[in-house]
Amino acid sequence: MMTIENKMQENYSQELEKIKQKALEEYIPIIMDDTLEVVDKILKEIKPERILEIGTAVGYSAICFANYLSENGKIDTIEREKERVEEAKINIEKVGMTSKINIYEGDAVEILPTLNNKYDVIFIDAAKGKYPFFLKEALRMIKPTGVILADNILYKGYVMSDYNKHKQRTAVRNLREYIKEVTENPNLETEILEVGDGLAVSKILM
Ligand code: SAH
Ligand code: MG
């Protein structure tokens, strides 16, 4: 017999799968499965009260992360494309997570300096050329026990190769700068993982 909990779980899984498939069809760069697995593990351990995400897209990663929030936990997520914000809101509503996920619509470069919250986890997943700036803002708002994650840090392998002439070189230069800063910062313990498009995991050392 199917319990109400089973039924709800099944609905959630079906909705999430639809959101994922639609995003993939539309080439929206959602978090890759192996990256998500790593993030899930980290979140499971931390049970965050507050998560900040930079780059909502259609809400896929925020919805996945929301499952690991502590009771009354919340996610703040930032997206500058209006259409994506609208779609994210619909998706979040469909899975019943509206009370857990708050979207700021606008450019993170402008929104971040206006925020003054403290976060357990900060997930950077937006304009690659802005990663050093996002890091500076993340360091200002991360809790002393927190973790800063940066997706797409290896950018299709460009970051670790010496090929330096393609049109994405500003992005590559800034991703390299991010890696340099997180690895040299004595207050961080950083691992660069070759999952998905590359994930930087930086734990704050108290
Ligand atoms: N985190 C999402 C994927 C995000 S894709 C997931 O895994 O499901 C990156 C998103 O960041 C895009 O939707 C893009 O519009 C947004 N973005 C890029 N630069 C931004 C900026 N400076 N401010 C706000 N959003 C930005
Ligand atoms: Mg990404």
Side-chain angles (χ1 to χ4, degrees), residues 11-191:
N11 283 344
Y12 166 78
S13 302
Q14 283 173 358
E15 283 303 336
L16 188 66
E17 190 57 28
K18 277 193 238 165
I19 292 164
K20 180 183 177 184
Q21 290 312 324
K22 182 168 186 286
L24 291 173
E25 275 160 30
E26 295 174 2
Y27 301 103
I28 293 166
I30 57 170
I31 190 168
M32 292 170 81
D33 290 342
D34 53 347
T35 310
L36 184 59
E37 240 176 76
V38 173
V39 179
D40 281 354
K41 264 191 212 141
I42 294 169
L43 296 180
K44 218 175 254 177
E45 205 172 297
I46 298 181
K47 292 188 191 74
E49 195 185 321
R50 298 206 72 160
I51 299 175
L52 173 65
E53 175 180 70
I54 309 172
T56 319
V58 294
Y60 176 71
S61 52
I63 290 168
C64 294
F65 299 166
N67 292 298
Y68 299 98
L69 288 168
S70 66
E71 212 187 328
N72 302 318
K74 279 196 172 37
I75 300 181
D76 288 329
T77 179
I78 310 174
E79 173 58 50
R80 68 177 168 196
E81 283 189 34
K82 194 174 170 57
E83 257 177 56
R84 290 195 175 168
V85 172
E86 296 311 322
E87 190 170 338
K89 282 184 183 162
I90 292 168
N91 289 338
I92 291 162
E93 167 98 59
K94 274 185 193 155
V95 295
M97 286 181 173
T98 304
S99 63
K100 293 184 176 182
I101 304 171
N102 164 52
I103 307 178
Y104 289 102
E105 184 181 336
D107 194 321
V109 173
E110 281 155 34
I111 291 174
L112 287 168
T114 70
L115 302 182
N116 272 308
N117 306 310
K118 291 286 175 202
Y119 295 97
D120 303 284
V121 175
I122 299 182
F123 182 64
I124 301 172
D125 192 19
K128 299 175 186 71
K130 299 282 156 49
Y131 271 36
F133 176 78
F134 295 155
L135 176 63
K136 196 177 72 154
E137 288 298 298
L139 287 168
R140 181 175 65 78
M141 291 189 278
I142 195 73
K143 288 186 193 171
T145 51
V147 178
I148 300 172
L149 304 166
D151 193 23
N152 307 94
I153 199 69
L154 297 176
Y155 196 13
K156 301 176 183 165
Y158 298 151
V159 170
M160 292 306 188
S161 82
D162 52 14
Y163 186 58
N164 203 19
K165 273 196 170 149
H166 52 80
K167 62 177 174 17
Q168 307 297 0
R169 63 181 178 280
T170 309
V172 169
R173 181 175 14 89
N174 283 293
L175 292 172
R176 285 180 184 150
E177 188 186 325
Y178 182 99
I179 292 174
K180 186 170 155 37
E181 283 181 22
V182 288
T183 47
E184 288 179 0
N185 187 326
N187 300 317
L188 299 176
E189 186 183 275
T190 296
E191 273 185 294

